[in-house]
Amino acid sequence: DQAAIAVHNAQLYGHINEERQRLAAILNNSGDGVFILNPDLTFQQINRAFEQMTGWRADDVIGLPKADVIEWDKLENDDLETAIEKGWLKYTSHQERVDIHYVEGDLIRRDGMNLSIGITYAPLLSDDGRLVSIIANVRDITNFRRAQEMQSVFISTIHHELRTPIAIIKGYASTLRRDDVEWESSVIRDNMGIIEDEADRLTSLVEDLLTASKIQAEREVKLNVEDVNLEQLCARSVGRLDGQSHHNIVLSFPENFPTVQGDKTRLRQVVDNLLTNAIKYSPKGKTITVGGRFNDKSITVFVRDEGEGIPSDKLDKVFDRFYRIDDKLTRKTQGTGLGLYLVKAIINAHHGDISVKSTIGHGSTFYFTIPRD
Ligand code: ADP
């Protein structure tokens, strides 16, 4: 009998061990950070994802009070200790269904850097309602926060960019239709011209928005590929925009500039965007050069201006969606921060590259390169 009991116990022990290993594997392979606290709020266990998120190692943390490890730079609601003081555990122990407590904020990692996280605390209670431990699930919400931020930038940009042309159109239209004034035909023509320009601006804004949301949904730009002569295309863009600007715009292409395979409409959008930016972000009277060069493998087109330039730490960011440099010049210039984002997406769709070089006080040059085959 005793031997049978011993064998049975050994089997049970084996099962428990297996179960423990299974739980440890689940815990350690979870993408979310997990930590388990003792009832006195000291650490009982942490998993690998939590180590990676916070920079703390299990060996250093086990036994430490929670408050020594979970330090906040910014906290959006009550932390665990405050929730307990306010009766969270008392409340949950009388309930059938156990309530969770959610905390969100910027955690100070062990290396001093901040990380936006959300922690969900759930108490583990024994059958008689005693607190056995508190299980915490930690989620990195950096991307979620970024998306939220982007959405609010989006709304305020669109609000501003849509309202301005609409206000101008409405102003001119209601002036023209006043019954008590006889307008001269030249005045009518000029005002109609302004209304038309603003309507065009609205159209291109809506087109940019549609293209941007399409790129986001489909993750690519669809191209209608044909032979494109970029020298001609640039000359047309310059011709179109030259009349509206007060800059000295020059073309500088070598002889026999080769054609490439590409989408004419999209490439025109690229050149127009780079040229419009050069006009917007450099003073009147300065020179803007649109030029090209080529080798056996690729062609490069550049747009150079003599404006204020772009600080080196912002050079990558200007291609981000809705990104606008926060300086005096940009603030007084209209824009959505979508132009260069679209330019980059279009050039990438052509298997090309886009880059920018800039010297503060001397100007910026944007380059795009497209393979010749
Ligand atoms: P938008 O011009 O509508 O703001 P873009 O995506 O075309 O958006 O450009 C993003 C930002 O990059 C601009 O807001 C501006 O701050 C900066 N930028 C773009 N082109 C230039 C340039 N040629 N010189 C200086 N700054 C520029």
Side-chain angles (χ1 to χ4, degrees):
D1 281 354
Q2 277 183 356
I5 290 169
V7 168
H8 186 61
N9 280 350
Q11 279 172 343
L12 281 181
Y13 183 74
H15 283 318
I16 291 171
N17 229 3
E18 261 173 40
E19 192 61 20
R20 189 183 296 154
Q21 278 170 1
R22 208 169 64 87
L23 282 177
I26 291 175
L27 201 62
N28 262 332
N29 291 310
S30 156
D32 283 349
V34 177
F35 62 87
I36 303 176
L37 298 174
N38 296 309
D40 64 355
L41 303 193
T42 55
F43 277 90
Q44 193 183 98
Q45 203 176 343
I46 67 174
N47 74 345
R48 218 174 287 153
F50 182 79
E51 287 184 332
Q52 278 161 3
M53 274 181 194
T54 60
W56 285 90
R57 316 243 348 131
D59 294 345
D60 304 327
V61 164
I62 309 288
L64 278 188
K66 172 202 154 270
D68 287 4
V69 175
I70 308 290
E71 281 187 83
W72 299 101
D73 184 31
K74 213 168 72 201
L75 191 61
E76 313 248 312
N77 41 357
D78 286 343
D79 200 4
L80 180 66
E81 290 82 350
T82 320
I84 292 175
E85 268 169 35
K86 288 185 178 172
W88 173 58
L89 284 172
K90 272 187 221 127
Y91 176 69
T92 53
S93 56
H94 296 306
Q95 302 268 314
E96 286 268 304
R97 192 176 57 80
V98 174
D99 263 319
I100 53 156
H101 177 66
Y102 182 70
V103 179
E104 194 175 296
D106 291 340
L107 178 88
I108 305 172
R109 287 165 40 101
R110 195 179 192 182
D111 60 9
M113 305 277 282
N114 277 8
L115 181 74
S116 298
I117 57 165
I119 307 183
T120 308
Y121 291 102
L124 185 66
L125 303 176
S126 64
D127 290 342
D128 55 358
R130 224 170 13 87
L131 180 68
V132 179
S133 45
I134 295 174
I135 303 178
N137 197 287
V138 187
R139 188 157 277 191
D140 180 347
I141 56 167
T142 314
N143 286 340
F144 173 68
R145 283 272 177 91
R146 204 174 289 148
Q148 267 183 332
E149 243 166 57
M150 206 175 252
Q151 194 179 16
S152 71
V153 171
F154 170 79
I155 290 170
S156 64
T157 308
I158 296 311
H159 186 76
H160 178 256
E161 289 297 305
L162 285 178
R163 275 182 63 148
T164 315
I166 289 173
I168 295 173
I169 290 173
K170 187 163 166 48
Y172 278 93
S174 53
T175 309
L176 284 179
R177 75 182 283 277
R178 275 174 59 177
D179 298 329
D180 54 339
V181 193
E182 279 288 327
W183 297 111
E184 279 179 28
S185 64
S186 63
V187 174
I188 296 180
R189 201 170 339 107
D190 288 352
N191 287 4
M192 286 299 199
I194 292 171
I195 291 178
E196 201 177 350
D197 286 349
E198 293 303 315
D200 285 348
R201 202 148 74 83
L202 267 180
T203 310
S204 76
L205 174 68
V206 172
E207 263 166 23
D208 277 0
L209 281 174
L210 284 178
T211 319
S213 66
K214 241 186 182 164
I215 291 172
Q216 241 221 324
E218 295 166 12
R219 304 212 166 270
E220 60 174 5
V221 185
K222 297 229 167 64
L223 302 178
N224 286 322
V225 178
E226 58 185 317
D227 278 344
V228 183
N229 181 334
L230 271 162
E231 183 183 359
Q232 242 175 40
L233 191 147
C234 288
R236 291 221 179 99
S237 286
V238 169
R240 231 181 2 255
L241 293 167
D242 205 8
Q244 301 168 22
S245 83
H246 301 274
H247 294 75
N248 171 32
I249 309 183
V250 294
L251 283 160
S252 163
F253 280 86
E255 269 180 34
N256 303 323
F257 195 71
T259 56
V260 283
Q261 292 275 298
D263 185 317
K264 212 182 255 171
T265 314
R266 295 290 188 205
L267 289 173
R268 186 180 307 130
Q269 208 177 342
V270 168
V271 174
D272 279 354
N273 247 309
L274 295 180
L275 196 53
T276 314
N277 278 353
I279 293 170
K280 282 200 302 192
Y281 302 111
S282 70
K284 288 177 185 167
K286 294 282 184 186
T287 299
I288 295 170
T289 313
V290 182
R293 44 182 194 236
F294 65 94
N295 58 30
D296 293 347
K297 294 210 172 71
S298 61
I299 60 107
T300 299
V301 171
F302 65 86
V303 179
R304 179 182 308 134
D305 66 56
E306 298 175 348
E308 268 312 298
I310 301 169
S312 56
D313 60 326
K314 309 273 177 359
L315 286 176
D316 282 343
K317 290 194 184 148
V318 293
F319 297 103
D320 288 352
R321 203 159 48 124
F322 298 125
Y323 182 80
R324 306 195 76 214
I325 297 175
D326 189 15
D327 63 10
K328 242 203 241 147
L329 178 63
T330 303
R331 248 173 276 142
K332 67 175 191 214
T333 318
Q334 274 165 343
T336 52
L338 274 178
L340 289 176
Y341 168 75
L342 296 176
V343 163
K344 186 173 179 169
I346 294 168
I347 295 302
N348 286 345
H350 283 83
H351 303 287
D353 279 321
I354 177 129
S355 60
V356 51
K357 287 197 184 123
S358 188
T359 318
I360 294 294
H362 292 279
S364 318
T365 309
F366 284 82
Y367 303 85
F368 68 84
T369 299
I370 295 179
R372 284 180 67 174
D373 57 1

